Amino acid sequence: DAAELVVHVDLDVFHRLDEGERMLVELDAGTRGAVDIAADTTSGTYVVPGVLGAFHRACPGVDVTLHVENRSGVLHRLAERTCDLAVMASPVEEMGIEVEPFLFDALVVIAAPDHPLAGQPAIGLAALAGERFLVREPGSGTRAATERVFARLGRRLHAAMELGSSGAIKQAVAAGLGITVISRWAIEQELQLGRLVVLDVEGFPLERRWSLVNLRARRLSPAARLCRSFLADYAAAQGAG
């Protein structure tokens, strides 16, 4: 009857209000919402997805979008305010950013197992002068770091081939097309399978650190703050803090 209908409607309204209040609480706590993250190619391919998987299991109500870009692309997203957070090496402090330490990376020189330099100790950079170097595209943080270490040691990096991804470079090196500098994170499987070897080269491994970055001028949502905190806690648990 009409009375029962009124009671049913009232209960439905009550449940909807209760659900709405609960969602507001969750949004305020950051357990619901959306986060947009930009990560440089190496961290975005080999590191960040695994950490975000753990974050998703802990906070399934937060939708995360990950954009994998080279260093220039990440800086562009930060400048254009099209991401909440960024993971990158050597952030540009002049952009007005907040920076928190994330994980360490180690850049190494790799070659095919049958390369003449494989297994040789203490290889000087001069010995690499005639080698075919495979490099990432301009704007890559790995390429920039490699050029800096060569310049610091008074050498010039001669690029024989330019490729647009770490995966393509690994395949080319394994095929004997040259040598390259790459993140240790990117080659664990290939090292275990014996498809690549790390060369003992002067000035390497080159250690660098990724950072968690956000613009001070872009206010982080509760979900973004929660995600940032989770990533920082993960790094600290790995001994990177």
Side-chain angles (χ1 to χ4, degrees):
D1 60 11
E4 290 179 345
L5 179 61
V6 170
V7 171
H8 175 75
V9 171
D10 286 346
L11 285 174
D12 185 59
V13 171
F14 173 78
H15 287 310
R16 289 176 181 272
L17 289 173
D18 184 59
E19 174 69 11
E21 183 179 356
R22 184 178 65 80
M23 289 183 65
L24 287 173
V25 170
E26 290 176 340
L27 285 169
D28 188 56
T31 55
R32 282 183 182 269
V35 184
D36 196 293
I37 300 175
D40 66 27
T41 306
T42 301
S43 68
T45 302
Y46 300 102
V47 179
V48 177
V51 187
L52 291 181
F55 176 71
H56 173 71
R57 290 189 291 274
C59 304
V62 178
D63 295 324
V64 179
T65 301
L66 174 62
H67 304 277
V68 180
E69 309 262 10
N70 65 18
R71 173 182 166 79
S72 294
V74 173
L75 289 173
H76 179 76
R77 284 190 177 276
L78 278 170
E80 295 296 314
R81 304 188 183 188
T82 56
C83 66
D84 298 302
L85 304 172
V87 179
M88 64 183 303
S90 305
V92 181
E93 302 283 351
E94 292 78 8
M95 293 181 67
I97 55 177
E98 293 182 1
V99 179
E100 191 163 2
F102 191 47
L103 297 174
F104 282 109
D105 185 22
L107 298 178
V108 294
V109 184
I110 61 169
D114 59 353
H115 191 282
L117 294 177
Q120 292 193 20
I123 302 166
L125 283 182
L128 304 183
E131 295 295 326
R132 288 174 51 84
F133 257 93
L134 312 183
V135 298
R136 288 274 308 282
E137 76 287 351
S140 158
T142 298
R143 177 171 177 167
T146 304
E147 290 172 341
R148 284 196 299 270
V149 74
F150 271 73
R152 190 162 62 242
L153 296 173
R155 301 289 175 179
R156 184 179 176 185
L157 176 65
H158 296 281
M161 184 182 296
E162 185 179 295
L163 297 99
S165 73
S166 297
I169 285 183
K170 288 190 295 182
Q171 294 293 332
V173 172
L177 290 176
I179 65 176
T180 195
V181 175
I182 198 168
S183 167
R184 181 71 186 231
W185 288 91
I187 57 171
E188 289 302 326
Q189 185 175 20
E190 287 80 8
L191 293 179
Q192 291 175 11
L193 294 174
R195 298 188 68 242
L196 296 170
V197 295
V198 175
L199 301 182
D200 181 16
V201 177
E202 172 191 8
F204 290 88
L206 180 64
E207 193 172 82
R208 62 179 181 173
R209 187 176 211 161
W210 287 305
S211 297
L212 301 172
V213 180
N214 62 275
L215 284 179
R216 292 194 188 96
R218 180 184 171 113
R219 180 179 175 274
L220 292 181
S221 67
R225 290 199 302 270
L226 183 64
C227 185
R228 191 183 199 277
S229 177
F230 188 96
L231 292 172
D233 289 346
Y234 177 89
Q238 300 299 312

